[in-house]
Amino acid sequence: MIDQRQVMNFRVQAQQLDRAEGTLGNTAVLDIGAQETGPDGGRWALAMRGVDVAALSVEDLILLWTVRGAPHLYRRADVGKVAAAVEPFSDADAGKRIYDAARPLKAADIGNLAALDEVAAQMRAIVTKPMAKGDVSGRLAEVMPEPYLRFCRSCDATHLHEMPFRLAAVRAGLELQLDTSPPVLQRTAGFKKAVASGDRFDLIRAYLRLLGPATPKHVADYLDTTVKDVKARWPEDVIEVTVGGEARSLLAADEPALESADATATRLLGPFDLFLQAKDRATLVPGTAHAKELWPVLGRPGAVLVDGELVGTWRPRKSGKTLKVAVQPWHKLPATTRDDIVEQAERLAAYRTVSLAGVEFTT
């Protein structure tokens, strides 16, 4: 029997949220990818884990559309193994990952993996120099047949289904330029997909290592794949533990860390930080009302993490060269905890290269 607090502490330590300093090479979240969504995305996630983000360059980091079609940061040196790791497990898996795009492909007797390969080949041929996403999409619409295309009302144009477009980019050896909006795609120099990802980048193992203990459904939901595909690739070197009456798995090598985990750190987690991406949300936030506040349909806030517990939400209020942080605690916070939160807000402001104008606590 493992209680919720042990799980939370284990994840804090596994994800290195309690460390003061670190390097890209030993930052574990980069094995699974740090989602780069919003101003406090992947690079803020690295900064919180002790990485000197200001010293990094495009030679160090690469941005790819991978898990769930979202942009994730990785070490540039790992791109070949990452490409192997994010490859769909099967044709059925590919069909689930591309959502509604699978239906017209099936009607046209086109396999999902074959479709991704065809889109990738065309993208590779089109993107010979950096190109904006819209320009690539427009060119693809000219060369791809009808089963690949859809009419977009918001754009009032016909273009490729979104998920095949995103998931084919890595297959085509394409990356996203950092800090471009709309996204700009470019070829990755010297790209070559590895034959296999290896244990370190295997997404199922990485999930268990960083977000365990977990079930196959948790992992499948995270990857947007089928439970059947995850179960077929479930590691053998796991132990079974019970969390809240539910049987879950943990990599056997991590059992000592789970038993001894103790987290003492205050952090302002970005809205899409890996810690908040776990699919057992009731473990992260037992209260339904608080869960709705943390994961609304639109406009996610960040989360305040204190000593292995999520204690509230926060939102940035930027004005010119100043930043205010609005904190909504879920219970009364001691003065020392408030001081720690202010310290982390200062850290956030420094990361954003602005001045902190204050931290507002809603009571």
Side-chain angles (χ1 to χ4, degrees), residues 315-332:
R315 292 184 182 274
R317 302 280 187 261
K318 187 174 183 292
S319 177
K321 290 293 184 179
T322 63
L323 175 73
K324 285 186 178 180
V325 176
V327 177
Q328 176 70 60
W330 291 335
H331 55 73
K332 187 175 180 178

Side-chain angles (χ1 to χ4, degrees), residues 338-356:
R338 290 189 174 217
D339 290 343
D340 290 341
I341 291 172
V342 171
E343 182 181 319
Q344 291 302 307
E346 291 277 10
R347 188 177 183 182
L348 175 67
Y351 161 78
R352 287 199 179 196
T353 64
V354 297
S355 299
L356 182 67

Side-chain angles (χ1 to χ4, degrees), residues 1-310:
M1 294 290 293
I2 306 298
D3 63 26
Q4 181 256 2
R5 190 59 183 267
Q6 279 179 278
V7 173
M8 296 288 278
N9 286 345
F10 169 76
R11 292 179 185 176
V12 168
Q13 291 193 339
Q15 295 185 34
Q16 301 162 319
L17 281 162
D18 57 346
R19 74 178 184 180
E21 295 181 351
T23 66
L24 282 189
N26 64 16
T27 298
V29 294
L30 288 172
D31 297 346
I32 199 171
Q35 187 167 333
E36 180 77 327
T37 299
D40 307 312
R43 279 170 286 185
W44 172 237
L46 300 182
M48 279 190 299
R49 292 163 171 87
V51 177
D52 183 2
V53 177
L56 301 179
S57 72
V58 294
E59 301 300 318
D60 302 307
L61 291 173
I62 188 168
L63 184 63
L64 306 170
W65 277 321
T66 56
V67 179
R68 304 178 307 279
H72 285 75
L73 288 171
Y74 302 91
R75 306 174 197 90
R76 182 170 292 277
D78 298 334
V79 64
K81 291 184 177 180
V82 169
V86 301
E87 177 82 9
F89 297 132
S90 67
D91 202 75
D93 173 19
K96 188 154 191 322
R97 296 194 197 197
I98 62 176
Y99 304 150
D100 58 336
R103 185 176 298 176
L105 292 173
K106 182 177 180 180
D109 199 26
I110 300 172
N112 298 307
L113 289 172
L116 288 176
D117 284 338
E118 180 60 24
V119 174
Q122 295 293 345
M123 290 179 78
R124 181 74 178 175
I126 290 169
V127 183
T128 57
K129 62 181 180 180
M131 292 181 66
K133 178 188 175 189
D135 294 336
V136 180
S137 180
R139 291 280 301 278
L140 279 172
E142 296 173 357
V143 299
M144 300 301 296
E146 185 176 347
Y148 292 85
L149 306 175
R150 70 181 182 91
F151 178 74
C152 178
R153 292 182 180 178
S154 60
C155 299
D156 191 28
T158 297
H159 51 68
L160 205 76
H161 285 266
E162 183 68 15
M163 288 306 288
F165 183 95
R166 292 188 175 221
L167 297 184
V170 173
R171 300 169 84 87
L174 303 180
E175 63 183 87
L176 303 171
Q177 283 189 357
L178 289 169
D179 303 317
T180 55
S181 181
V184 171
L185 290 89
Q186 66 184 26
R187 288 190 176 188
T188 298
F191 174 79
K192 184 178 181 181
K193 188 182 79 172
V195 175
S197 66
D199 285 354
R200 182 177 184 181
F201 301 98
D202 178 276
L203 293 178
I204 297 175
R205 296 184 68 87
Y207 189 100
L208 289 172
R209 192 168 66 247
L210 298 169
L211 292 166
T215 67
K217 188 176 188 313
H218 293 149
V219 179
D221 289 348
Y222 176 80
L223 298 178
D224 264 350
T225 186
T226 68
V227 174
K228 180 180 179 181
D229 274 301
V230 172
K231 283 184 174 180
R233 294 157 180 83
W234 202 245
E236 295 183 358
D237 56 329
V238 296
I239 60 168
E240 186 174 290
V241 298
T242 302
V243 180
E246 179 180 54
R248 302 188 188 183
S249 294
L250 180 77
L251 292 174
D254 291 331
E255 183 179 11
L258 177 65
E259 292 177 347
S260 63
D262 184 29
T264 55
T266 297
R267 297 288 184 266
L268 297 181
L269 303 177
F272 293 92
D273 190 89
L274 181 66
F275 195 86
L276 304 178
Q277 299 276 15
K279 292 306 176 180
D280 56 339
R281 288 182 172 180
T283 302
L284 295 180
V285 183
T288 303
H290 293 159
K292 288 182 178 180
E293 182 183 339
L294 184 56
W295 294 292
V297 177
L298 295 173
R300 288 188 188 184
V304 182
L305 176 71
V306 177
D307 298 343
E309 178 186 3
L310 296 178

